[in-house]
Amino acid sequence: MVLINEFMISGILLGFASGISPGPLLAMTISESLKHGSHAGIKVAVSPFITDILIVSIILLFLLKFENYDPVIALISLAGSLYLISLGISSLKTKSVNLKLDTQKPDSLKKGIIANFLSPHPYLFWIAIGGPILFKAQEASTFSAIFFIAGFYALLVGSKIVIAMMVGKSRGFLKSKYYLYTIRSLGIVYMVFAFYFLKEGLELLN
């Protein structure tokens, strides 16, 4: 049960950090909320539920080929730590939220799906971070893996839905100090996970 809780907490923290950090999907969520109301932003926010089924399946099949090759998994873990460090530094250095908002016609869900498929973020996350954690969770138990995925997507999508609702009501939310402080504090979370991946990678390389 302790392991299950640990993996769920990992999913929740990573999902929340990914959900509120500036990126293409968040920009589109905010854009649609500003122009067409919160309901349009929410349609964009839920698009990972559709796109990531294919994305995650392809990446996990790719990683399964190397699951028993410690050097490959070690290099992936080290790459993941570098990726997390870059995300952490970016979050800690955030001074304001400047997102390019598109001006296309309403078709929110479709635009969200396309944006997520074309964004490198989900691919990088599942290759370098999510995939290795998911395999480790699976080793503990099937429920651990399920709880990790559930925690991750509940917060990834849920946090964007909350932002869409808040932006729909108040455009000043994105400029508030609370939002900026939250993004900066999540930089520390990224660093903690980076240390974990660095440790795992070095152990596999002996």
Side-chain angles (χ1 to χ4, degrees), residues 74-91:
L75 291 175
I76 290 174
S77 294
L78 293 175
S81 69
L82 294 176
Y83 180 50
L84 284 164
I85 288 172
S86 69
L87 291 176
I89 293 174
S90 177
S91 294

Side-chain angles (χ1 to χ4, degrees), residues 59-67 76 126-127 131-132 135:
I59 289 173
L60 292 183
L61 286 173
F62 168 77
L63 292 176
L64 277 171
K65 293 183 178 180
F66 303 105
E67 188 179 10
I76 290 174
W126 282 105
I127 289 174
F135 285 137

Side-chain angles (χ1 to χ4, degrees), residues 2-117:
V2 174
L3 284 173
I4 290 176
N5 289 337
E6 287 178 358
F7 287 115
M8 175 173 270
I9 291 170
S10 295
I12 288 172
L13 289 175
L14 287 171
F16 183 59
S18 300
I20 73 165
S21 297
L25 198 62
L26 180 62
M28 188 166 290
T29 299
I30 293 168
S31 173
E32 294 297 293
S33 298
L34 289 173
K35 294 182 295 180
H36 310 297
S38 297
H39 65 285
I42 291 172
K43 288 181 181 179
V44 176
V46 302
S47 62
F49 283 142
I50 300 172
T51 59
D52 285 22
I53 293 176
L54 180 59
I55 292 173
V56 174
S57 297
I58 292 173
I59 289 173
L60 292 183
L61 286 173
F62 168 77
L63 292 176
L64 277 171
K65 293 183 178 180
F66 303 105
E67 188 179 10
N68 297 319
Y69 295 89
D70 285 354
V72 176
I73 298 300
L75 291 175
I76 290 174
S77 294
L78 293 175
S81 69
L82 294 176
Y83 180 50
L84 284 164
I85 288 172
S86 69
L87 291 176
I89 293 174
S90 177
S91 294
L92 290 169
K93 292 174 65 177
T94 300
K95 295 181 179 179
S96 62
V97 180
N98 297 311
L99 297 168
K100 295 180 180 180
L101 305 178
D102 69 53
T103 57
Q104 299 176 17
K105 64 180 182 179
D107 199 354
S108 304
L109 182 59
K110 179 181 177 181
K111 287 192 285 186
I113 291 172
I114 293 173
N116 208 44
F117 262 130

Side-chain angles (χ1 to χ4, degrees), residues 154-170:
L155 271 293
L156 174 71
V157 174
S159 59
K160 282 185 169 59
I161 289 175
V162 171
I163 289 174
M165 294 174 67
M166 296 186 75
V167 169
K169 293 181 179 179
S170 173

